């Protein structure tokens, strides 16, 4: 029986050679937002390794939207050439190049993770409400209505730059406790205006961003959204709200919801295990009628194959596992008995 994992998939006019996607993973190795040789090798090697789609890490739409000063950025036209080089290489080796656009909100301005990742006095942080992420973290300044409009415009301009750079997919980051997720969750959004309170109001900014990005992106090219399907905390964002958001995203023209979870509050009660987030992707796919991606502790070829074959998600996104093995798709295809092209330079090592 042919492998479901290594079957092609088309969204709009874009065809992915298989269902193994490289999850966007911050490398904290940019210089003033610019891509470096590290990014070319890191992302390029995953394309060479056989992935169907390679997603560039969370890329800040404004300087103050970076998690750290080592974060990628696309707030300036000057950033475009570095990403264009990467997108061209990834495409040239058979994978679809994608970029994730982000704003870190109240979790911005931290040190590099290998230096502890704690808040640093880099730049003021903003959020929906003046509620700090945790003790010892800065209290964000609540965005004004005018500034909220500026966030939408920043995503719009970043989208246009991503297109200029040659990316074929854009993903909007609404997960992991960053700005758009902060607006969605009642734990971080205590506003009493049109941008807070009811679910409709809390979704207002994320949906406005999604609409602006979709309108600016070519109709023939897909747009993804990454969500945290649960805050894993009482009174927080949860799966039913995620399903409602996904329905609204589908109506806007979003093509795939990338289902992660957590990251909003430090007291989350998350119990990770193999495939622990797959039920989120499964539920969103069934109940919202939109394509989904499953991510989180997906490590074995048979496990990934089962997720796609059973219709629990349309694609799997690998993170730590594909850091350990950039050639995971090539090795997985061999294990599953699937046919997959190897780079001609590597044919003499094909097994």
């Amino acid at each position: 029986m042919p492998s479901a994992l290594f079957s092609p998939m088309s969204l709009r006019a874009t065809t992915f050679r298989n269902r193994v996607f490289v999850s966007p993973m911050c490398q904290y190795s940019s210089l003033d937002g610019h891509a470096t040789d590290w990014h070319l090798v890191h992302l390029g090697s995953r394309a060479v390794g056989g992935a169907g789609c390679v997603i560039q890490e969370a890329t800040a739409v404004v300087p103050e939207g970076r998690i750290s000063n080592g974060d990628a950025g696309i707030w300036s036209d000057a950033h475009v050439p570095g990403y264009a080089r990467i997108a061209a290489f990834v495409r040239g080796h058979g994978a679809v190049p994608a970029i994730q656009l982000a704003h870190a909100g109240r979790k911005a301005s931290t040190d590099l993770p290998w230096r502890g990742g704690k808040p640093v006095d880099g730049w003021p942080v903003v959020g929906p409400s003046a509620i700090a992420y945790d003790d010892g973290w800065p209290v964000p300044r609540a965005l004004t209505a005018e500034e909220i409009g500026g966030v939408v415009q920043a995503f719009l301009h970043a989208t246009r730059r991503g297109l200029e750079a040659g990316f074929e997919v854009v993903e909007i980051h609404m997960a992991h406790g960053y700005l758009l997720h902060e607006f969605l969750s009642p734990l971080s959004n205590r506003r009493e205006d049109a941008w807070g309170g009811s679910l409709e109001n809390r979704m207002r900014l994320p949906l406005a961003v999604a609409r602006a990005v979709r309108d600016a992106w070519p109709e023939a090219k897909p747009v993804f959204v990454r969500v945290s399907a649960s805050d894993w905390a009482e009174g927080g964002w949860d799966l039913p709200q995620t399903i409602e958001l996904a329905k609204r995203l589908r109506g806007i023209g979003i093509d795939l919801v990338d289902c992660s979870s957590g990251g909003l509050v430090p007291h989350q009660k998350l119990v990770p295990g193999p495939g622990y987030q797959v039920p989120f992707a499964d539920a969103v796919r069934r109940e919202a009628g939109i394509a989904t991606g499953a991510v989180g502790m997906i490590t074995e070829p048979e496990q990934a194959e089962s997720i796609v074959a059973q219709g629990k998600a349309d694609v799997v996104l690998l993170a730590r596992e594909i850091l350990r093995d950039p050639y995971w798709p090539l090795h997985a295809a061999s294990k599953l008995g699937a046919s997959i092209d190897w780079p001609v330079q590597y044919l003499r090592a094909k097994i």
Side-chain angles (χ1 to χ4, degrees), residues 2 34 39 56 64 85 118 123 166 191 196 198 203 218 243 247 287 292 297 322-323 336:
H34 290 273
H39 299 91
Q56 153 80 20
E64 62 271 23
R85 181 184 179 212
K118 298 296 184 182
W123 52 86
R191 299 178 74 98
S198 67
M203 291 193 300
I243 290 168
K247 291 177 180 177
E287 298 190 37
T292 60
M297 297 188 73
I322 212 160
L323 290 182
L336 295 171

Side-chain angles (χ1 to χ4, degrees), residues 30-165:
S30 296
L31 301 174
D32 196 25
H34 290 273
T36 66
D37 287 348
W38 176 265
H39 299 91
L40 175 65
V41 173
H42 163 66
L43 297 168
S45 64
R46 274 76 198 170
V48 170
C53 180
V54 176
I55 308 177
Q56 153 80 20
E57 65 192 80
T59 307
V61 299
V62 290
E64 62 271 23
R66 292 173 293 167
I67 305 165
S68 77
N69 64 8
D71 275 35
I74 194 163
W75 62 82
S76 163
D77 292 347
H79 292 116
V80 170
Y83 297 127
R85 181 184 179 212
I86 292 168
F89 186 92
V90 168
R91 185 185 305 103
H93 288 276
V96 173
I99 185 169
Q100 185 188 67
L101 302 180
H103 188 307
R106 68 179 185 175
K107 292 177 75 176
S109 194
T110 68
D111 205 347
L112 303 180
W114 46 85
R115 295 204 298 241
K118 298 296 184 182
V120 296
D121 187 18
W123 52 86
V125 300
V126 297
S129 303
I131 303 171
Y133 168 68
D134 196 7
D135 294 340
W137 287 66
V139 176
R141 182 178 58 78
L143 290 166
T144 66
E146 182 179 1
E147 289 171 327
I148 289 171
V151 170
V152 177
Q153 289 300 304
F155 273 91
L156 170 64
H157 295 314
T159 299
R160 290 172 174 164
R161 293 187 186 107
L163 180 63
E164 184 182 350

